[in-house]
Amino acid sequence: SKPIAKQLASIKALGQGSELEKAFATMALVYNNNADPEGKLSRAETKSLLQTQFWHFIQGQENKPKYQEIISDLDEEPENKIDFEDFMMTLVMLTLMSDLLQEIKSVKNTK
């Protein structure tokens, strides 16, 4: 498939888009590139996508109860698929509990 950077470049509205807009567009493209024709991901695909595309955020979280709850939820009902909204909520929850978020917050913007 076409690289995400090229897909982003093909979206006219994002030509002068902000970093935040491009970040959200990237999330949508990654999801859509992996979704089925109905625009949904299986729970197994969601788990795999998180483990390959969101590794730095989930690394070291394996022992946290909330992480275990999120992952076990993906394992429990494999026939139920994840829509984009649920995928985004999962990303937000994993980001908020990530050790990487603390590191990001500690980065100072030096001009």
Side-chain angles (χ1 to χ4, degrees):
S1 76
K2 194 174 180 182
I4 295 290
K6 286 190 177 188
Q7 290 177 344
L8 276 176
S10 71
I11 302 170
K12 278 188 176 184
L14 291 178
Q16 299 298 317
S18 71
E19 297 288 329
L20 189 57
E21 289 170 322
K22 290 176 183 175
F24 270 86
T26 298
M27 287 185 279
L29 286 169
V30 168
Y31 178 89
N32 287 334
N33 288 345
N34 289 279
D36 65 17
E38 295 174 352
K40 295 188 176 190
L41 285 175
S42 74
R43 290 175 177 274
E45 290 167 327
T46 301
K47 185 176 177 181
S48 175
L49 190 59
L50 291 171
Q51 290 170 334
T52 59
Q53 293 285 322
F54 214 58
W55 170 247
H56 291 95
F57 276 89
I58 62 175
Q59 186 175 3
Q61 306 307 303
E62 298 84 1
N63 294 325
K64 291 184 177 178
K66 187 64 178 172
Y67 175 85
Q68 291 173 349
E69 179 184 325
I70 291 167
I71 295 304
S72 68
D73 185 49
L74 292 175
D75 291 333
E76 279 180 13
E77 300 176 41
E79 70 281 354
N80 291 345
K81 294 193 174 187
I82 302 285
D83 61 17
F84 182 66
E85 292 79 7
D86 287 337
F87 179 75
M88 291 299 290
M89 294 301 294
T90 302
L91 286 181
V92 169
M93 287 187 294
L94 290 171
T95 300
L96 290 173
M97 62 187 273
S98 175
D99 295 333
L100 183 57
L101 182 60
Q102 296 311 310
E103 185 177 334
I104 292 166
K105 286 179 178 181
S106 71
V107 173
K108 299 296 180 210
N109 184 12
T110 55
K111 294 183 181 181

